[in-house]
Amino acid sequence: MEGAVQHRGEGGPVHSADAVETIQREMTVFARRARAAAGRLHPELSLVSYTLLGHLEESGGCRATDLAAHYALDKSTVSRQVAGLERAGLIERRPDPADQRVQALHLTRSGRHVLAQVTESRRAAFRERLAGWPEEDLSRFAEYLVRYNA
């Protein structure tokens, strides 16, 4: 049926008027699964912590306030995450070269190692979950996600 979307686990089509509700529900399931998977991949590394480590790697380091602003998180949330990552030896504070009064957060060698391990585990889980998908569906799904997140 043109313009229809299938409900997960149900047989009948959903008309495009209901598609937004289906997308919202499925994105929630996706987020729950991602949080659960992050805990299985590294027990001390929540999805938020993993995301923060990834940003620190990509950015080459930044201030905690920059992390809070980038992810629209409360500063206290970032502060708790940063404290836990520091205790675990995954990040360290260094003076910011642009302003010596400011501390920038950087990955430690251990942090890079853990991030690489978790990233590879996540990739393997995605490859396994998507293994039976036709190439055309994978490409279309990737394009839709990029478009959605733009």
Side-chain angles (χ1 to χ4, degrees):
M1 172 179 270
E2 189 71 28
V5 176
Q6 287 295 116
H7 271 293
R8 183 173 45 89
E10 298 176 12
V14 176
H15 297 282
S16 58
D18 298 324
V20 171
E21 182 63 29
T22 300
I23 291 167
Q24 182 275 327
R25 184 180 55 254
E26 295 302 319
M27 293 295 283
T28 300
V29 170
F30 179 83
R32 278 191 208 123
R33 183 176 288 128
R35 279 192 296 277
R40 286 191 306 273
L41 295 174
H42 193 280
E44 296 91 38
L45 198 61
S46 71
L47 184 60
V48 172
S49 294
Y50 171 77
T51 303
L52 297 180
L53 288 178
H55 185 78
L56 290 174
E57 181 180 56
E58 289 173 17
S59 67
C62 67
R63 298 174 304 163
T65 55
D66 297 331
L67 287 172
H70 181 78
Y71 290 106
L73 293 170
D74 186 77
K75 289 178 187 179
S76 64
T77 300
V78 171
S79 180
R80 281 190 304 275
Q81 295 292 325
V82 164
L85 292 170
E86 282 183 300
R87 277 192 305 276
L90 303 178
I91 64 171
E92 63 186 0
R93 294 177 189 266
R94 295 187 212 148
D96 187 332
D99 184 350
Q100 295 292 312
R101 299 169 298 168
V102 176
Q103 295 285 304
L105 304 170
H106 295 272
L107 292 177
T108 62
R109 178 177 287 143
S110 179
R112 289 185 197 290
H113 179 71
V114 166
L115 181 62
Q117 282 182 315
V118 174
T119 298
E120 185 48 42
S121 294
R122 287 176 56 97
R123 282 188 186 126
F126 274 109
R127 282 191 295 270
E128 181 180 322
R129 188 153 185 93
L130 299 170
W133 287 37
E135 186 67 34
E136 182 179 311
D137 288 354
L138 287 171
S139 295
R140 192 174 300 135
F141 186 49
E143 289 171 17
Y144 290 157
L145 286 173
V146 168
R147 187 168 148 196
Y148 177 78
N149 287 317

